[in-house]
Amino acid sequence: MLFVVTFISTLVHLYSTEYMAEDPHLPRFMSYLSLFTFFMLILVTSNNFLQMFVGWEGVGLSSFLLINFWFTRIQANKAAMKAMIVNRVGDFFILCALFAIHYLCGSLEYDIVFSTAPYMADLSFTELGYSIPVLDVICIALFLGAMGKSAQLGLHTWLPDAMEGPTPVSALIHAATMVTAGVFLLARCSFLFELSPTALVFIQYIGASTAIFAASTGLFQNDMKKVIAYSTCSQLGYMVFAAGLSNYDVSVFHLSNHAFFKALLFLAAGSVIHAVADEQDMRKMGGLKKLLPFSYSVVVIGSLALVGFPFLAGFYSKDVILEAAFAKNTINSHFCFYLGTFAAFFTAFYSTRLLYLVFLAEPNGNRVTTFGAHEPTWRMALPLFLLAIFSITVGYFTKDIFIGFGSDFWDNSIFILSQNYTLRDIEFINL
């Protein structure tokens, strides 16, 4: 997580110095970006729930400031408030979970809470004549909090609107770091979730529904950044239902791969939008392939990695998620498998549509802006180039570390019950 956050954050900072160069408030923008990175690092380095929650709230605050950066725009105000309020709904549930954990364990330290999880699994309380396991309630509350941050169905509405902020913000928050905090929380708390089968089923259904819903909505968007935003939402659905299938390692593997190619897509979209005088409507672009050959090539690489083209980053993690869903052989996992497969088809469809409308179709834009289109300078091009290299190679180089059979990379940081472990079953799937 530290590598993903700091690497992409560094590139976004470099990119922003050029992208926002004309903006009179550049110092404020850069300080918000750094504040965001600071809180994200607090979140991932914490060893207890309280510090995690400080980082969790901090990235929420930073996203509010960043989305609302151009605060004279009504749409930006509305989007920032929406992001803040929807996240507060999730945060309320996380607080409830933290209170319950502290009441039962007397501590919020991860080590203590996770080591007492088997005792909590035996506790239950009676409500309206039903016996309800305490751990199920805690896990579902934690997941509802993750739903707000990771834009799962029901609490997803803030993510597409958050595109009102400057493009580097979209790349940093809505591709690589903040939205993955929920998935990170699921993987971090695997010791709790593994002991709560009810919560895992709930997570599977929400994740799979989000994947298909967001992918099908992305088909009909005309704003270039909104297509990529819905795509992010859909990929987060994949990560969530992978965690629900007890494949936390695969989930984090997809998280790290996705961070690189999605940041690439957002920054490349920013490069295109910058080139055509800040026009975001794909119907008013077209014919940019010859004018922006570099931007075209990085968008192609990002899109191929996103759709899971063989041997690029997305291929290794996305396919394993679908295989694991199929190999688990329960009704719930097959539900995830079929929805995930349809979502993958839609992903390929809207990625191709984006490429076609922006670069390959007949030019539909203003003649002056189309002819004025220009490639970015090195400060914007270098991050794009580095992210393109990573989008091609990162899956191949890290697959044996993250999900290699017998790899001791995770050590004791992720706990999977032996009956929930499906990575050996995917080797034996009938073609």
Side-chain angles (χ1 to χ4, degrees):
M1 285 302 283
L2 285 178
F3 176 73
V4 169
V5 172
T6 48
F7 181 77
I8 288 176
S9 178
T10 306
L11 294 183
V12 170
H13 277 75
L14 176 62
Y15 180 96
S16 302
T17 57
E18 170 71 22
Y19 188 87
M20 302 292 287
E22 305 293 310
D23 199 290
H25 299 284
L26 183 65
R28 180 164 64 93
F29 184 74
M30 298 308 281
S31 56
Y32 285 169
L33 275 188
S34 301
L35 183 72
F36 175 80
T37 312
F38 166 72
F39 277 124
M40 197 63 207
L41 294 180
I42 281 186
L43 194 154
V44 298
T45 52
S46 58
N47 73 338
N48 61 74
F49 282 105
L50 187 63
Q51 188 185 329
M52 183 278 299
F53 192 68
V54 170
W56 189 272
E57 289 300 306
V59 288
L61 166 74
S62 307
S63 83
F64 174 81
L65 294 172
L66 283 163
I67 296 165
N68 207 5
F69 177 73
W70 289 317
F71 51 78
T72 51
R73 290 168 58 177
I74 301 286
Q75 261 343 89
N77 295 162
K78 286 181 176 172
M81 284 194 286
K82 193 170 185 179
M84 197 71 168
I85 292 164
V86 172
N87 270 295
R88 287 303 320 154
V89 175
D91 297 342
F92 167 74
F93 288 107
I94 281 217
L95 272 173
C96 292
L98 296 196
F99 291 146
I101 288 170
H102 190 267
Y103 177 73
L104 293 171
C105 301
S107 171
L108 289 175
E109 295 280 328
Y110 284 149
D111 297 351
I112 295 175
V113 175
F114 296 158
S115 58
T116 53
Y119 300 105
M120 284 199 282
D122 297 334
L123 300 174
S124 59
F125 63 95
T126 308
E127 190 64 51
L128 299 176
Y130 291 101
S131 177
I132 303 171
V134 171
L135 201 58
D136 286 355
V137 176
I138 290 176
C139 287
I140 288 174
L142 280 173
F143 175 61
L144 288 170
M147 274 173 67
K149 202 62 90 192
S150 288
Q152 295 303 294
L153 197 58
L155 297 177
H156 67 281
T157 48
W158 66 272
L159 187 64
D161 287 12
M163 297 302 112
E164 288 301 324
T167 307
V169 176
S170 310
L172 187 60
I173 296 185
H174 309 122
T177 49
M178 175 178 148
V179 287
T180 57
V183 180
F184 169 76
L185 180 69
L186 293 182
R188 195 77 182 80
C189 297
S190 57
F191 296 85
L192 301 177
F193 285 103
E194 278 302 278
L195 300 171
S196 171
T198 313
L200 287 180
V201 172
F202 181 59
I203 293 171
Q204 289 166 34
Y205 275 92
I206 294 284
S209 308
T210 305
I212 188 92
F213 155 77
S216 57
T217 312
L219 298 174
F220 303 103
Q221 299 299 313
N222 295 312
D223 182 318
M224 189 176 183
K225 280 167 69 178
K226 279 205 173 159
V227 173
I228 309 176
Y230 275 109
S231 157
T232 302
C233 201
S234 172
Q235 297 303 308
L236 286 163
Y238 275 100
M239 294 173 213
V240 166
F241 84 69
L245 293 164
S246 296
N247 291 340
Y248 308 94
D249 41 1
V250 183
S251 180
V252 178
F253 180 41
H254 191 51
L255 185 160
S256 96
N257 289 351
H258 171 262
F260 293 106
F261 58 74
K262 193 52 64 74
L264 171 66
L265 278 171
F266 267 122
L267 293 181
S271 164
V272 173
I273 290 165
H274 210 54
V276 293
D278 297 331
E279 177 58 67
Q280 294 190 18
D281 193 330
M282 297 193 297
R283 294 169 297 184
K284 297 182 185 169
M285 296 181 189
L288 296 175
K289 178 182 159 192
K290 290 192 172 63
L291 297 168
L292 305 170
F294 175 72
S295 299
Y296 172 64
S297 48
V298 292
V299 173
V300 167
I301 290 170
S303 297
L304 287 177
L306 169 65
V307 302
F309 190 79
F311 311 114
L312 271 66
F315 165 72
Y316 289 102
S317 48
K318 238 170 116 171
D319 277 19
V320 171
I321 290 176
L322 292 173
E323 284 167 18
F326 187 77
K328 187 142 187 178
N329 267 331
T330 64
I331 293 174
N332 302 326
S333 73
H334 279 213
F335 173 83
C336 294
F337 170 73
Y338 288 115
L339 288 197
T341 309
F342 280 119
F345 170 73
F346 290 151
T347 304
F349 194 95
Y350 63 65
S351 301
T352 315
R353 174 176 175 265
L354 181 141
L355 276 170
Y356 177 76
L357 287 178
V358 176
F359 296 104
L360 305 173
E362 290 295 310
N364 285 325
N366 182 326
R367 186 163 179 270
V368 180
T369 49
T370 303
F371 280 122
H374 54 88
E375 288 289 20
T377 58
W378 73 269
R379 282 184 300 179
M380 276 166 73
L382 179 67
L384 289 173
F385 177 72
L386 289 175
L387 285 168
I389 299 292
F390 269 86
S391 297
I392 296 169
T393 58
V394 72
Y396 177 76
F397 284 125
T398 58
K399 69 178 192 297
D400 285 332
I401 301 175
F402 280 117
I403 55 170
F405 196 73
S407 158
D408 60 352
F409 175 75
W410 297 109
D411 200 24
N412 292 326
S413 61
I414 285 180
F415 168 69
I416 301 176
L417 288 173
S418 54
Q419 67 265 31
N420 287 345
Y421 190 77
T422 48
L423 282 189
R424 47 178 179 259
D425 302 337
I426 65 177
E427 303 299 334
F428 306 106
I429 293 180
N430 192 339
L431 274 178

